Amino acid sequence: MAKIAFILLCHKDPDAIIKQAQSLTAVGDYMSIHFDARAPGADYRKIRAALADNPNVTFARKRIKCGWGEWSLVQATLHAVEAAVERFPRATHFYMLSGDCMAIKSAEYAHEFLDRRDCDYVESFDYFQSDWIKTGWKEERLIYRHWFNERTQKRRFYAMFEAQRRLGLTRKIPEDIEVMIGSQWWCLRRRTIEWILDFARRRRDVMTFFRSTWIPDETFFQTLVRHLVPAHEIDSRTLTFLMFSDYGMPVTLYNDHYDMLLSQDFLFARKISPGATELRRRLGVLYASEGVRFQISNEGRSLYKFLTEKGRIGRRFAPRFWEKESSLGRERELLIVVCKKWHVAKRLLDRVRQMTNIPCIEYLFNEEGCPLPDLGGIQSTMGKRHRHRRALMRMLYDYYDTDRLIVCMDPANLDLLEDFGRDRALTRMLEIECQFSDDYLIGHAKRVGLAGERTPRETLERLLPTVRNDMLFESDQIRDAEFSNFLRIREADTPEANARALSEFLTISEDKAMEIAKTEYLYAD
């Protein structure tokens, strides 16, 4: 059975560290602690005194001062790992943690999880071929030497870099090493850890190389594991759940995240708020629990993205000059069908095609696979369609040799509606107001990745009001925009009432409009 030795790097909140160590070792696991030498000595002495009688806790033999992006973080980890290997010969796995991490599963579950596969869990992606680094330096981290801390010694850091760059003082990566990159939060088997420590003693050239790379905690263990362990024994993922904001900062977790955390396919999570005392208490109790069954749905990141992006009214980028200055044409009409239930709008367009000769295009700004003619590549990706929206529409008018065109849009596309609504062309909009059952909303949440097939019913029920309110919010935004020539049909209204709106929208007779309004199963889910 798996026995975990936790490698804890920490620098603050001694009381929380003591509780964390007591909780994780109470079930028979181990912990090796490195407490940053920059932290107050009194805090370190408090931790040692509180855990002195705990045989499952040890400390790194040497405390060093750690800095973000420095080799010191890797060196501190190695000190803690060496202490754990020596003190805990029965440990089968070594799990990297910070003081902000907490278990989100029981020890029973964690041990069973690690027993299922004989492998190492570490993100390990090709440094140069993967897109793990989104922005900023890439090759520069490795081929230049970095001896100063970018955050605390910024002037020296960049002066040293510029001097090396101007003088061409680059260096080669050790020839037999393929640099990898990934999250620093890993879980490695004892054999792998012993291989790494042995490698570190033998290969001083590799150690020298990594000591002067920038942010080596994202590359050192990731590279050595891939170098020493067969690929089929590596699962390139972290077992620690973490999320980042769109500013690149770790998302902090609070008391009301408890249920969401338990449903994620991870063993630990960070970053737990120091003030989330109830969350910390409940997770501490959970780790020692037995017989707990977890429903894994794994919707945490998509749910966070959904909730944080909503409500940001406005556009990140100003309209391009060719969008501001060009028009679809004063003589043209653009008819926009706005509906959250895409299948309802598509049924309506099918019927309109049968009753009129107006070209109809479905959700071209929402569905990558929307059928479109070849327009020279401008239609090939969703990004191009949005960037060159007006040019795309003008080309569609020309392709169909028409001055009238119907398109579908999602209510979330308020920026598109406002853009086309201001055009010199005559723009009419028809919103289809549908009723949303709980089952439909649950299906919608699953389709957009907010929930999975195994998301617990309790989680779905808490999510439903948010999804429903979001749809109402989108509709309210459209109404508040006060578009000219704006019409609405409602699922709850009679065909007669809807026919009048359809007649005005399409400029067709009410008889034809009535046939469209009476379309069988128009609103069926």
Side-chain angles (χ1 to χ4, degrees):
M1 182 177 178
K3 299 279 284 186
I4 307 171
F6 295 104
I7 308 302
L8 180 66
L9 263 58
C10 49
H11 65 281
K12 62 181 180 180
D13 202 348
D15 292 330
I17 292 168
I18 293 167
K19 291 179 181 178
Q20 186 181 25
Q22 290 171 339
S23 172
L24 295 179
T25 59
V27 295
D29 288 323
Y30 311 109
M31 179 173 286
S32 179
I33 300 174
H34 179 276
F35 194 69
D36 196 333
R38 296 181 189 277
D43 288 350
Y44 180 61
R45 289 190 292 272
K46 181 177 183 179
I47 296 170
R48 293 213 61 148
L51 300 173
D53 296 330
N54 190 330
N56 287 3
V57 175
T58 191
F59 292 84
R61 290 184 177 178
K62 184 178 181 181
R63 291 173 63 206
I64 61 175
K65 295 179 180 179
C66 297
W68 184 89
E70 293 181 6
W71 168 256
S72 55
L73 287 173
V74 178
Q75 187 62 69
T77 305
L78 289 171
H79 286 328
V81 166
E82 288 168 350
V85 168
E86 180 179 339
R87 179 70 180 274
F88 308 124
R90 295 180 60 197
T92 62
H93 293 77
F94 294 75
Y95 197 120
M96 178 77 174
L97 290 178
S98 76
D100 294 323
C101 297
M102 287 205 71
I104 57 175
K105 297 292 187 293
S106 64
E108 179 183 62
Y109 180 97
H111 295 152
E112 291 176 356
F113 182 95
L114 295 176
D115 283 335
R116 287 178 209 158
R117 292 182 61 192
D118 184 23
C119 70
D120 297 302
Y121 294 93
V122 55
E123 280 191 353
S124 183
F125 303 106
D126 187 281
Y127 188 91
F128 295 101
Q129 300 301 319
S130 72
D131 63 348
W132 203 87
I133 298 176
K134 303 297 183 186
T135 59
W137 285 357
K138 195 167 191 176
E139 185 181 38
E140 293 87 347
R141 290 195 193 185
L142 306 178
I143 65 173
Y144 296 107
R145 299 160 183 85
H146 304 279
W147 291 297
F148 300 104
N149 187 293
E150 193 269 344
R151 291 190 173 181
T152 60
Q153 299 171 292
K154 190 178 293 287
R155 182 174 295 181
R156 290 181 176 180
F157 178 89
Y158 286 106
M160 180 61 68
F161 166 73
E162 286 296 332
Q164 293 178 82
R165 187 180 63 82
R166 287 196 304 270
L167 296 172
L169 298 178
T170 59
R171 60 177 177 175
K172 291 183 179 180
I173 299 169
E175 291 185 359
D176 61 332
I177 295 296
E178 183 178 357
V179 179
M180 311 299 286
I181 191 166
S183 167
Q184 70 183 101
W185 311 109
W186 41 254
C187 178
L188 304 178
R189 296 167 296 174
R190 185 180 193 91
R191 183 187 66 178
T192 303
I193 286 292
E194 290 173 345
W195 284 350
I196 289 174
L197 294 178
D198 179 65
F199 182 92
R201 287 188 290 268
R202 291 186 295 104
R203 294 294 302 272
R204 308 314 298 174
D205 60 322
V206 175
M207 299 299 286
T208 300
F209 170 78
F210 276 107
R211 279 194 180 95
S212 55
T213 59
W214 189 41
I215 321 182
D217 54 308
E218 293 180 350
T219 55
F220 179 77
F221 288 98
Q222 298 78 357
T223 299
L224 264 59
V225 171
R226 187 67 68 174
H227 181 75
L228 299 168
V229 178
H232 68 273
E233 295 183 19
I234 302 172
D235 192 337
S236 188
R237 58 162 294 188
T238 175
L239 298 181
T240 299
F241 175 72
L242 65 161
M243 299 185 291
F244 291 92
S245 70
D246 52 2
Y247 297 102
M249 300 299 293
V251 173
T252 302
L253 302 164
Y254 297 96
N255 290 334
D256 57 350
H257 286 116
Y258 179 80
D259 292 318
M260 181 272 285
L261 290 175
L262 266 58
S263 64
Q264 305 313 303
D265 188 21
F266 297 86
L267 303 184
F268 280 74
R270 73 181 306 266
K271 183 176 187 180
I272 309 296
S273 168
T277 53
E278 179 63 13
L279 176 61
R280 288 177 174 272
R281 184 194 66 79
R282 296 178 72 182
L283 292 177
V285 171
L286 175 70
Y287 193 70
S289 302
E290 296 181 356
V292 181
R293 293 293 174 260
F294 298 91
Q295 294 293 324
I296 305 300
S297 55
N298 224 30
E299 79 288 348
R301 291 189 176 118
S302 58
L303 180 59
Y304 170 79
K305 184 174 185 290
F306 172 79
L307 293 176
T308 53
E309 287 185 350
K310 294 302 177 181
R312 293 191 174 189
I313 302 170
R315 299 176 64 186
R316 180 167 292 185
F317 300 107
R320 276 70 170 180
F321 71 90
W322 61 81
E323 294 177 345
K324 291 192 294 184
E325 301 303 327
S326 61
S327 168
L328 302 182
R330 292 184 184 277
E331 74 285 356
R332 286 171 170 167
E333 290 183 42
L334 178 62
L335 309 180
I336 303 175
V337 176
V338 183
C339 185
K340 197 65 182 181
K341 291 187 177 181
W342 295 1
H343 61 280
V344 174
K346 292 177 180 180
R347 285 184 195 139
L348 181 70
L349 258 62
D350 283 341
R351 192 66 173 138
V352 169
R353 290 189 187 99
Q354 298 171 15
M355 302 296 296
T356 73
N357 61 354
I358 308 173
C360 300
I361 302 171
E362 296 174 356
Y363 287 87
L364 74 164
F365 293 110
N366 302 98
E367 283 189 306
E368 194 85 49
C370 172
L372 289 171
D374 185 356
L375 301 173
I378 195 173
Q379 83 294 339
S380 59
T381 68
M382 196 62 68
K384 287 184 178 180
R385 296 179 201 175
H386 280 262
R387 283 197 303 274
H388 310 299
R389 61 189 69 163
R390 289 170 178 262
L392 173 64
M393 297 304 295
R394 290 197 302 273
M395 294 175 77
L396 287 171
Y397 280 110
D398 293 339
Y399 179 86
Y400 288 108
D401 191 20
T402 183
D403 290 330
R404 303 186 76 201
L405 198 64
I406 302 177
V407 298
C408 292
M409 292 189 192
D410 190 280
N413 298 135
L414 183 63
D415 60 331
L416 295 175
L417 298 176
E418 290 178 331
D419 193 10
F420 288 125
R422 291 192 300 266
D423 195 85
R424 298 189 186 104
L426 175 61
T427 303
R428 292 196 185 93
M429 299 183 195
L430 178 73
E431 183 183 16
I432 306 177
E433 187 176 293
C434 300
Q435 296 176 347
F436 300 107
S437 66
D438 287 353
D439 288 341
Y440 174 81
L441 293 176
I442 290 172
H444 175 75
K446 292 178 179 178
R447 285 190 293 274
V448 300
L450 295 178
E453 293 300 327
R454 301 176 66 183
T455 300
R457 185 72 189 187
E458 296 80 4
T459 302
L460 290 172
E461 289 175 354
R462 286 193 300 273
L463 183 61
L464 286 180
T466 302
V467 178
R468 190 184 301 277
N469 290 335
D470 180 67
M471 292 183 176
L472 294 175
F473 175 72
E474 291 175 350
S475 184
D476 287 342
Q477 280 188 295
I478 293 173
R479 296 184 189 187
D480 293 341
E482 297 182 346
F483 293 113
S484 302
N485 304 310
F486 184 82
L487 300 155
R488 182 178 290 107
I489 63 174
R490 298 178 174 86
E491 181 176 356
D493 285 356
T494 62
E496 289 76 15
N498 289 335
R500 289 191 290 272
L502 285 167
S503 174
E504 184 176 349
F505 175 69
L506 297 169
T507 59
I508 58 176
S509 67
E510 286 204 16
D511 290 341
K512 281 189 175 182
M514 180 62 75
E515 289 189 52
I516 296 173
K518 288 183 175 180
T519 300
E520 195 172 6
Y521 304 120
L522 177 60
Y523 298 100
D525 291 333

